[in-house]
């Protein structure tokens, strides 16, 4: 278990090897993917999902303070994170809408 829904979002991680599943939405992330960024940049700094290691792996971690410093110091990094957060919000919205359409009335 990397983190649980509702935990403090005080770090974000880059998957270097292996895979991590976000339980609430069934998404599996692999090498090169960030995980935990929503909690770092969210308004209440809480985890928005539960991250479970599916395989042995390796992750790199940076604190929320380091992530914010990089965000401000490196425009390319900041823009990448901004686009990542927006993409994840839109993907989650699409999942919720699809789930609403499949629920019987």
């Amino acid at each position: 278990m990397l983190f649980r829904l509702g935990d403090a979002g005080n770090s974000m991680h880059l998957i270097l090897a292996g895979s991590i599943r976000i339980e609430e939405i069934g998404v599996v992330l692999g090498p090169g993917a960030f995980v935990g960024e929503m909690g770092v940049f969210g308004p209440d700094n809480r985890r928005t999902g539960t991250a479970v290691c599916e395989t042995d792996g390796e992750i790199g971690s940076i604190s929320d303070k380091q992530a914010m410093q990089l965000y401000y110091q490196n425009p390319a990094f900041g823009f990448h994170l901004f686009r990542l957060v927006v993409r994840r919000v839109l993907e989650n919205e699409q999942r919720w809408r699809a789930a609403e359409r499949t629920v019987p009335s």
Side-chain angles (χ1 to χ4, degrees), residues 19-49:
S19 60
I20 295 176
R21 180 175 31 87
I22 307 303
E23 287 196 331
E24 291 76 9
I25 58 176
V27 170
V28 176
L29 302 169
F34 280 106
V35 64
E37 76 290 336
M38 299 289 282
V40 168
F41 291 99
D44 62 355
N45 295 102
R46 293 278 165 204
R47 298 294 184 198
T48 59

Side-chain angles (χ1 to χ4, degrees), residues 4-17:
R4 293 182 189 278
L5 175 71
D7 285 352
N10 53 11
S11 60
M12 60 185 276
H13 314 282
L14 177 65
I15 303 169
L16 302 172

Side-chain angles (χ1 to χ4, degrees), residues 46-91:
R46 293 278 165 204
R47 298 294 184 198
T48 59
T50 301
V52 177
C53 300
E54 283 209 319
T55 65
D56 287 342
E58 184 178 354
I59 61 168
S61 299
I62 61 173
S63 72
D64 54 348
K65 290 174 182 50
Q66 291 170 316
M68 291 302 270
Q69 187 176 23
L70 278 172
Y71 177 85
Y72 288 114
Q73 290 179 348
N74 185 328
F77 177 77
F79 187 69
H80 175 76
L81 285 178
F82 176 76
R83 292 190 77 173
L84 175 63
V85 169
V86 169
R87 185 178 77 231
R88 295 228 169 120
V89 167
L90 293 173
E91 288 170 351

